[in-house]
Amino acid sequence: MLDKMSPNQRLIVAVLLSIIFFVGYTTIFPPKEQKVADNAKVNEVAATPSNANVTQRVEEASGHAVSEEEKAAATTSNNIVTIKNDKFILKIDTLGRISSKELLEDKFRNSDDLHAQVIPALGTKPLYIRFADDNINKEAMTTPYSASVSNVVLGNTPVTITLTQKLSMLTVTKVLTFYADGHYDAKISTSKDVRHYIYLGDRPKVSKKSMAVEGVLIYTGDDVAHIIEDGDAEKREVFQDVKIASSFDQYTSIILYGFKKDASIVVARGHDDNPSVYIDATQHENLHGYIGPKEHSILHKIDPILTNAIEYGWFTFAAKPLFALLSWLHSIFGNWGWSIIALTALIRIVLYPLTYKGMVSMQKMKLLAPKLKELKAKHKKDPQRLNAATMEMYKKHGANPLGGCLPMVLQIPVFFALYRTILNSVELQGAPWILWIHDLSRMDPYYILPILMGASMFLQQRMTPNNFTDPMQEKVFKYLPIIFTFFFVTFPSGLVLYWVTNNLFSIAQQYMVNKQFTNAKDEKVVKAVVEKKSEK
C-alpha cells in the first residue's frame, strides 16, 4: 500500500497513527489528578490541634499509617517571613520551610484570574528538615523558627535572612540569600552532628490537566537525566554526583543544585506513588535553589547547568537544538509566531532536495502507472517475473516507489520535537502572534488555523499524484483533512501554525514540480508533432 501513496500521504498516515497512539495512551492511562486544598483555607488552620486532624485525614485517605514526611506535609503553620518582588511574593513559615511562592506576571494567571502558586498548599515544602531521631523530630515539628527579618522588598540587591530553631539538644540555623531572578543560596547547619534530611519539596501543580511529563528529574554528572514521573515511584533510589534535583510540572520547577559530589540524593516513594526527594545531609550544607518558571534565558544566566531542568520527553534530543534555533530566530524577529514560520522555512530549505526528489519520483510513478498495469495483466500468474519486470521498469525510468520515505521520516521527529518544544517552553506561554492569536501555547480560540490547515491539506492532496487502484483507499484519504482538522482543534496554535506553514510550502513546491512535468510533457508532444510532420 505504501508504494501507492505520495510522500505527503505517507507523512499524513505516519503522523495520524502517532497522534492516535498519543491520544489513545493518555485516554487509557490518564494522569492522576490530586485534590489540592485552597491556600487561604490551609493557612487558616491553626498549628497545633488541627494538625492532628489533618494528619488523620491524610492517613484515612492513603489507607496506611502516614510517614514522618507525610505528617510534615499535613502540618500547617503561620508565615514568619514575606519577601516581595515585582515578579513574585515568597513566604517562609514557622517550620523554616519555603511555604509559598506566588508568580505575579499576568501570563501565569489561572482560569480564575488568580496568580499562580508554585508551591502546593499541601505537600512537603522546600527546605523542610526531618531528623532520623524520632524524639528530635517531634520536637522540631512543634518548635517554631525565629527570623532575623519579617518583611523584605527584594530589588536588584540580594537579601539575606537568618532562620534559627532552638531545640533542647541542638540549634538549627538556616542562612538564606535571595536574588531577584528567583534563585537563592542556603547555608544550613546544626550545632550537633545528628542525622537529618533536607527536602526538595513536592512538585508544583500550576499546570492543570497537562499532557507534559510531570514528576522529578535527577541530572547526574554523566549527563543523564533520570526522570521519575508521578505514580511511578516504586522503590527508594539513591543518586550521587548529582548536578540538579528538580520537581517539576509543565512550566515551573523547584530546584536544588550545587551538591557535593559524594552527597546522597534520595528519591523515595511518596504519597500516591509520587516521588519524594531529599538530601542525606551533613552537619554543614551549602546549597543553591531555584523556584519558578523554567525559562531558558533565566536559568542559563543563573547557571548553565540549570537548563538541563527543562525536559522535553522522548524527543529531548531533537527539541533542545530546535528550541535553541527558535530562540535565535526570536532574537531576530521579536515574535514567536514569525519565528515559528521562519523555522518552518529553514526546515523546508534543508529538506528541499529530498522532498523534491520524492515529488519527482511520484510524478514518474504516475506516468508509469499504465505500463505497470500492463505488466500486472501480462504476468498475473507469475509473481516473480512481475516483480523482476517491475523493478527493471523502475530502474530504467529512475522511479522509486519509496522515494518520499526519507523526507517523511525526517519530518516526523521535527513535528513531535516542535510539539514538545511548544508544550514545555514557558517562553511561549502568553506569547502573541497576530490579530486573534494571543497565546501560542493555547488552542486557536476561533479555530481559524485548524480550518486553514484542513483546507491546505485538501488542496495539497488534489495537487499530489497518487497511484490508488482501490477506490476505498482513495475515499479514506479524501477524508483525512477533515480528521486532521478535528485532531488539531485542541493543539497549541503555535504547532498548528507550523503545520499550516509547512503545508503552504509543500503546495508551492508541488506546484513547481507539477509545472515542470507539464512543460516537459508539452515539449515532448510538440517534438513528436514536428517529427511526424517532417516525415510527411
Side-chain angles (χ1 to χ4, degrees):
M1 183 175 172
L2 274 178
D3 61 334
K4 297 173 183 176
M5 299 181 197
S6 71
N8 289 315
Q9 288 167 340
R10 294 190 197 113
L11 176 60
I12 289 168
V13 169
V15 174
L16 182 61
L17 291 174
S18 302
I19 292 172
I20 291 171
F21 169 77
F22 279 112
V23 173
Y25 183 86
T26 51
T27 303
I28 299 169
F29 305 105
K32 297 179 182 177
E33 292 185 19
Q34 297 178 348
K35 294 181 180 179
V36 181
D38 184 79
N39 270 346
K41 293 180 181 177
V42 172
N43 289 333
E44 287 174 4
V45 183
T48 46
S50 60
N51 286 340
N53 295 331
V54 175
T55 303
Q56 185 179 357
R57 289 199 299 272
V58 173
E59 191 166 320
E60 289 171 356
S62 61
H64 65 272
V66 296
S67 63
E68 290 302 316
E69 51 265 37
E70 286 178 306
K71 289 178 183 177
T75 301
T76 57
S77 57
N78 297 320
N79 294 313
I80 57 172
V81 178
T82 300
I83 301 171
K84 292 184 178 180
N85 177 266
D86 59 349
K87 291 187 178 181
F88 62 82
I89 298 174
L90 183 144
K91 295 180 180 180
I92 299 171
D93 65 12
T94 53
L95 293 179
R97 310 174 298 184
I98 299 177
S99 57
S100 75
K101 185 169 184 178
E102 181 181 355
L103 303 179
L104 302 180
E105 292 180 84
D106 285 339
K107 70 177 182 178
F108 295 115
R109 287 182 179 273
N110 60 21
S111 56
D112 299 321
D113 201 32
L114 299 174
H115 291 132
Q117 287 282 357
V118 182
I119 300 170
L122 287 179
T124 308
K125 299 187 179 354
L127 302 187
Y128 158 63
I129 293 179
R130 177 171 65 87
F131 291 92
D133 187 306
D134 287 341
N135 292 325
I136 298 175
N137 202 60
K138 286 177 182 177
E139 185 184 2
M141 291 280 288
T142 56
T143 304
Y145 278 76
S146 61
S148 59
V149 64
S150 57
N151 288 285
V152 177
V153 176
L154 178 61
N156 293 328
T157 305
V159 170
T160 299
I161 297 167
T162 301
L163 305 175
T164 307
Q165 185 184 46
K166 293 184 177 180
L167 305 176
S168 58
M169 291 180 60
L170 59 96
T171 299
V172 181
T173 304
K174 298 179 181 179
V175 181
L176 308 178
T177 302
F178 294 92
Y179 300 82
D181 57 12
H183 87 282
Y184 64 90
D185 302 328
K187 294 180 180 179
I188 303 173
S189 60
T190 56
S191 59
K192 289 184 180 179
D193 190 7
V194 293
R195 192 168 192 187
H196 62 286
Y197 313 98
I198 302 171
Y199 278 74
L200 169 67
D202 287 353
R203 76 161 180 87
K205 294 181 174 66
V206 176
S207 304
K208 304 296 181 185
K209 297 181 181 179
S210 166
M211 290 180 67
V213 175
E214 295 170 329
V216 158
L217 179 147
I218 305 295
Y219 187 77
T220 48
D222 53 358
D223 295 328
V224 175
H226 307 267
I227 296 170
I228 302 93
E229 294 186 46
D230 281 358
D232 289 346
E234 298 178 352
K235 59 182 180 180
R236 183 175 178 271
E237 295 183 73
V238 181
F239 297 89
Q240 290 189 321
D241 191 20
V242 173
K243 302 299 181 182
I244 299 171
S246 168
S247 57
F248 63 93
D249 69 353
Q250 184 176 7
Y251 293 125
T252 54
S253 186
I254 299 170
I255 301 173
L256 283 177
Y257 63 104
F259 306 107
K260 297 172 185 174
K261 192 169 184 177
D262 60 349
S264 294
I265 312 301
V266 182
V267 179
R269 179 184 175 188
H271 194 61
D272 290 334
D273 293 337
N274 292 340
S276 178
V277 181
Y278 58 86
I279 311 158
D280 196 344
T282 58
Q283 186 176 359
H284 302 284
E285 288 288 348
N286 190 358
L287 304 170
H288 307 285
Y290 173 82
I291 301 171
K294 294 183 286 184
E295 194 166 339
H296 189 278
S297 60
I298 291 175
L299 295 177
H300 188 273
K301 191 174 180 180
I302 295 169
D303 190 331
I305 195 73
L306 294 182
T307 58
N308 293 289
I310 304 172
E311 195 276 327
Y312 298 103
W314 297 350
F315 288 91
T316 297
F317 72 95
K320 273 194 173 184
L322 203 62
F323 177 76
L325 180 56
L326 194 60
S327 297
W328 177 73
L329 291 169
H330 181 260
S331 68
I332 297 171
F333 294 99
N335 180 290
W336 287 104
W338 294 116
S339 301
I340 289 171
I341 291 172
L343 176 69
T344 312
L346 288 176
I347 291 170
R348 294 297 305 195
I349 290 169
V350 171
L351 294 178
Y352 181 83
L354 293 171
T355 52
Y356 175 79
K357 191 175 180 181
M359 288 177 176
V360 169
S361 182
M362 291 310 298
Q363 283 285 0
K364 289 179 179 179
M365 289 293 297
K366 182 182 177 181
L367 295 175
L368 290 176
K371 294 182 179 179
L372 290 172
K373 197 172 182 180
E374 290 175 8
L375 284 178
K376 286 180 181 178
K378 184 178 180 181
H379 302 294
K380 61 181 179 180
K381 294 183 179 180
D382 191 345
Q384 288 185 346
R385 288 193 68 182
L386 173 62
N387 186 54
T390 302
M391 295 307 295
E392 181 63 30
M393 184 173 288
Y394 287 158
K395 187 177 180 181
K396 181 180 177 181
H397 294 276
N400 183 357
L402 301 178
C405 281
L406 185 56
M408 174 197 73
V409 170
L410 290 174
Q411 285 184 66
I412 290 174
V414 170
F415 173 81
F416 283 109
L418 189 64
Y419 173 73
R420 282 295 178 185
T421 299
I422 292 172
L423 192 70
N424 286 50
S425 297
V426 69
E427 288 85 354
L428 270 68
Q429 189 176 19
W433 177 41
I434 56 170
L435 301 175
W436 74 101
I437 300 295
H438 303 295
D439 189 345
L440 287 163
S441 69
R442 296 174 183 264
M443 60 179 280
D444 185 337
Y446 302 110
Y447 314 116
I448 295 172
L449 284 176
I451 291 170
L452 287 175
M453 191 218 62
S456 62
M457 188 177 287
F458 176 76
L459 178 59
Q460 191 179 344
Q461 278 193 353
R462 294 293 298 269
M463 295 176 65
T464 305
N466 64 69
N467 302 309
F468 284 122
T469 54
D470 186 348
M472 182 57 69
Q473 290 178 5
E474 191 171 6
K475 192 174 287 186
V476 168
F477 270 91
K478 282 183 179 178
Y479 285 104
L480 276 180
I482 298 172
I483 296 169
F484 257 62
T485 300
F486 278 104
F487 264 120
F488 275 70
V489 159
T490 57
F491 275 26
S493 55
L495 186 70
V496 187
L497 176 61
Y498 162 78
W499 199 256
V500 170
T501 308
N502 188 65
N503 282 354
L504 293 176
F505 278 114
S506 294
I507 289 168
Q509 190 173 1
Q510 189 68 60
Y511 174 80
M512 288 189 292
V513 171
N514 290 355
K515 193 73 175 173
Q516 179 184 341
F517 269 78
T518 301
N519 292 339
K521 202 173 182 182
D522 291 343
E523 285 178 10
K524 285 184 179 179
V525 170
V526 171
K527 189 176 180 182
V529 171
V530 170
E531 287 177 355
K532 198 170 184 181
K533 284 182 178 181
S534 62
E535 286 174 2
K536 290 180 180 180

